[in-house]
Amino acid sequence: MEMLGEVLPILVYFLGSILLVVLIILGIKLIQTVDRANSILDDLEEKAKSLNGFFNVIDSFSNTIAVVGDRIIDGFTGLISSFFHKRKKKKEEEEMDEYE
């Protein structure tokens, strides 16, 4: 029994030191993995920023097309509106002439 009391603390210290070494190695590997992931994310961010100009050009082009389309539609509806307004005004004048 006395031998077990002397061997057991030595065995626990030995296993504890092995565990400490393994945790240190895992920590170093984790730090390296995080550094690589940060590098990849920085690269992706740089590429996304380079595409921002392209997307801004597309956005301004689509806005220009929308404005031109709106003006065409406004002109067309104004033309139709003025045509019907003239017919209505002409009809009202004819009715006024009938009453006189």
Side-chain angles (χ1 to χ4, degrees), residues 11-65:
L11 184 63
V12 169
Y13 291 145
F14 179 71
L15 291 177
S17 63
I18 289 175
L19 180 64
L20 183 63
V21 169
V22 168
L23 289 176
I24 289 172
I25 292 171
L26 286 176
I28 291 171
K29 294 279 187 183
L30 181 65
I31 290 171
Q32 290 173 349
T33 303
V34 168
D35 286 342
R36 276 188 255 144
N38 282 338
S39 169
I40 290 170
L41 289 175
D42 289 341
D43 187 42
L44 287 175
E45 185 177 349
E46 182 180 324
K47 288 179 181 179
K49 284 181 182 178
S50 70
L51 290 175
N52 281 343
F54 176 69
F55 289 128
N56 287 337
V57 168
I58 290 176
D59 188 41
S60 64
F61 181 73
S62 66
N63 287 340
T64 303
I65 295 296

Side-chain angles (χ1 to χ4, degrees), residues 56-85:
N56 287 337
V57 168
I58 290 176
D59 188 41
S60 64
F61 181 73
S62 66
N63 287 340
T64 303
I65 295 296
V67 167
V68 168
D70 287 345
R71 288 194 180 183
I72 290 173
I73 290 172
D74 287 343
F76 186 69
T77 55
L79 182 67
I80 291 174
S81 164
S82 66
F83 175 72
F84 284 117
H85 186 68

